[in-house]
Amino acid sequence: MNHFRSILCRALVGVALSIPLVAISAELPRAQPEQVGLSSQRLDMITEALKADIAAKRIPGAVLLIARRGKVAYFESVGKLDVATDTAMGKDGIFRIYSMSKPITTVAAMMLVEDGKMKLDDPVAMYLPEFAKLNVGVEKPDASGNPALEVVPARRPITVQDLMRHTSGITYGFFGPGLVKKAYNDANLTADNPDNAEFSRRVAKLPLMYQPGTTWDYSYSTDILGRVVEAVSGKSLYTFEKERLLDPLGMSDTSFYVTDTTKQKRIAEPFSSDRNFGVGADFGDPRIAQKLESGGGGMMSTATDYAQFLQMLLNGGSLNGKRYLGSSTLRFMTSDHSNAGAGVTAGPLYLPGAGYGFGLGFAVRRNAGESTYPAEAGEYYWGGAGGTYMWVDPKAEMLVVFMMQSPKQRLYYRGLLRNMIYASIVK
């Protein structure tokens, strides 16, 4: 199995937390649900629903954390961390968060923007010269009428903003048909364990799926953004994130690999029959470190760690007296950057879904209607292929982190939890 597909499928779209309760209490205090306008009775119904699904073997286990008005009002773990070893799910479980890595990478990059080290309209080639000359793949019939791939020059460079909003023209090979996507699959991009620099060079050799800036298409863009962070900061992606974001926020269990043997027993596992993402990729083993640090889908985390990150965002870029991003920057990031006004159209597989645009690192709710589940305009979210999911609703003053490992069930729980959690809001 291609290692990078496994990691990057963490980048697809789409209850045991980590870290002991005392660790999160230092950052996010606890409250009874009614103290923050939630119904205990309604929240208990969520617990029972998850327990029933675990008894029915729909999922092995899960962790769910809900914070409102800066306080954790619901924090439960249910089921098994690992069915094979009969290990109970704990609140310190460590999960493959796959594409929930993308918001972290994007925030790290925006910190460099605020530092004056780069700008969103900078061509990526300023930092990664391999992207200086780009071609776009165009399918045309050959003499026999069969599709053939031709290339035309890119009309403009890929910008840093394009990487953040998935309008670079870079693609994923495992989403949908097409000769460009086939070229990505055939390239075997992670052969021989490349580091981020080599991976970037390999991607740059491939044709783009679309002209830069024109089309939202889920892609390796955030992985290339992670390489930009390295080039601008002069540090590895993990080192930069650890120094500027993870350690200051207390996200001690968030990393690309779990090589600490004392932590490995806390890694959550899916059912043996539910390890495939449906795109020719399986769950990888985070216990074995690779050179690649996939900013688009390679991170491991816990519910409490990720809640710290989200509370910082919900606070407008600060937590516990330390500022990470400016409030204006956060409002900018969580605005819609991928719409007709920006000259962007939706590709065939538009993962944000009805009622949503896409900002810089997140899907962003455009209005209260259109979608099949409730939320206020301005809410933003993303999820991972392994089953993890999060959202932040500034108007409701609420954040949610859901951690599980089940590719088959990832979409089902997104709608279920939305409906039940919003139903618990009483004031």
Side-chain angles (χ1 to χ4, degrees):
M1 151 73 234
N2 181 312
H3 170 70
F4 191 69
R5 278 200 186 174
S6 172
I7 286 182
L8 267 298
C9 274
R10 303 173 185 185
L12 270 145
V13 167
V15 193
L17 285 181
S18 172
I19 272 186
L21 182 57
V22 63
I24 194 170
S25 297
E27 303 288 351
L28 300 181
R30 294 297 299 266
Q32 293 299 313
E34 280 72 19
Q35 292 177 309
V36 293
L38 300 176
S39 164
S40 295
Q41 181 182 14
R42 284 286 183 178
L43 294 176
D44 288 344
M45 292 173 66
I46 299 173
T47 307
E48 294 308 309
L50 291 171
K51 287 181 176 179
D53 283 350
I54 288 164
K57 295 183 169 47
R58 182 189 285 267
I59 56 173
V63 176
L64 177 62
L65 185 152
I66 304 169
R68 194 168 190 228
R69 298 169 186 163
K71 297 180 180 180
V72 176
Y74 179 97
F75 184 27
E76 296 292 339
S77 62
V78 293
K80 300 294 183 182
L81 180 81
D82 187 347
V83 172
T85 60
D86 197 33
T87 304
M89 181 65 78
K91 292 177 178 177
D92 61 351
I94 300 174
F95 295 78
R96 301 162 180 85
I97 63 171
Y98 292 107
S99 282
M100 275 169 51
S101 308
K102 288 180 170 68
I104 295 175
T105 302
T106 308
V107 165
M110 287 302 297
M111 295 174 88
L112 290 171
V113 172
E114 286 198 335
D115 290 348
K117 303 295 186 182
M118 66 179 182
K119 305 192 306 323
L120 292 187
D121 58 356
D122 285 344
V124 171
M126 285 181 60
Y127 311 107
L128 307 180
E130 59 265 32
F131 285 93
K133 294 183 179 180
L134 298 170
N135 291 311
V136 179
V138 179
E139 288 191 27
K140 294 183 178 180
D142 62 16
S144 302
N146 298 315
L149 187 63
E150 297 183 7
V151 295
V152 299
R155 291 194 289 266
R156 71 158 176 81
I158 296 171
T159 66
V160 173
Q161 183 187 33
D162 287 325
L163 295 179
M164 292 182 176
R165 66 181 182 179
H166 293 285
T167 58
S168 65
I170 296 168
T171 192
Y172 277 139
F174 41 73
F175 279 127
L179 294 180
V180 172
K181 291 182 179 290
K182 183 177 185 301
Y184 273 71
N185 285 333
D186 292 345
N188 198 9
L189 291 167
T190 54
D192 304 318
N193 190 21
D195 60 11
N196 285 11
E198 175 59 23
F199 180 78
S200 175
R201 288 190 288 268
R202 293 178 183 184
V203 170
K205 293 177 182 178
L206 296 168
L208 301 177
M209 185 76 185
Y210 300 100
Q211 287 287 345
T214 66
T215 308
W216 192 96
D217 188 47
Y218 209 41
S219 68
Y220 291 121
S221 289
T222 316
D223 294 280
I224 304 304
L225 181 66
R227 175 57 191 152
V228 171
V229 170
E230 293 184 335
V232 173
S233 69
K235 300 176 181 180
S236 73
L237 179 59
Y238 180 57
T239 298
F240 180 81
E241 291 179 340
K242 184 174 171 62
E243 291 177 358
R244 293 289 301 273
L245 198 60
L246 305 180
D247 282 356
L249 282 170
M251 297 172 67
S252 59
D253 286 325
T254 302
S255 60
F256 287 97
Y257 301 98
V258 185
T259 55
D260 184 341
T261 56
T262 63
K263 291 186 178 184
Q264 289 176 353
K265 62 184 179 182
R266 293 161 48 204
I267 297 174
E269 297 292 350
F271 288 131
S272 59
S273 59
D274 192 13
R275 298 188 67 88
N276 187 277
F277 300 103
V279 289
D282 295 334
F283 271 61
D285 188 352
R287 300 164 184 84
I288 302 171
Q290 305 286 334
K291 293 178 183 177
L292 192 70
E293 294 179 353
S294 168
M299 299 199 88
M300 307 289 295
S301 192
T302 65
T304 46
D305 271 16
Y306 213 89
Q308 298 298 102
F309 174 66
L310 295 186
Q311 188 65 56
M312 179 271 290
L313 299 181
L314 183 55
N315 289 351
S318 66
L319 188 66
N320 296 325
K322 180 175 175 58
R323 181 156 293 281
Y324 298 84
L325 285 175
S327 57
S328 295
T329 298
L330 253 299
R331 287 193 296 272
F332 177 67
M333 292 178 69
T334 55
S335 299
D336 182 14
H337 289 247
S338 301
N339 52 47
V344 177
T345 59
L349 185 65
Y350 185 66
L351 297 180
Y356 284 86
F358 200 86
L360 304 181
F362 317 89
V364 180
R365 187 81 174 223
R366 288 172 173 158
N367 53 63
E370 295 185 44
S371 179
T372 58
Y373 47 71
E376 297 291 338
E379 170 264 316
Y380 50 97
Y381 86 90
W382 208 238
T388 60
Y389 188 54
M390 67 80 173
W391 77 87
V392 175
D393 191 329
K395 291 182 180 177
E397 301 176 87
M398 182 172 70
L399 67 86
V400 177
V401 183
F402 180 60
M403 296 291 205
M404 71 164 186
Q405 303 284 242
S406 174
K408 291 180 181 177
Q409 302 298 337
R410 64 180 183 268
L411 298 181
Y412 170 78
Y413 283 100
R414 294 177 185 185
L416 178 77
L417 291 172
R418 291 275 192 157
N419 292 335
M420 298 189 77
I421 290 172
Y422 278 103
S424 75
I425 297 176
V426 292
K427 63 179 180 180

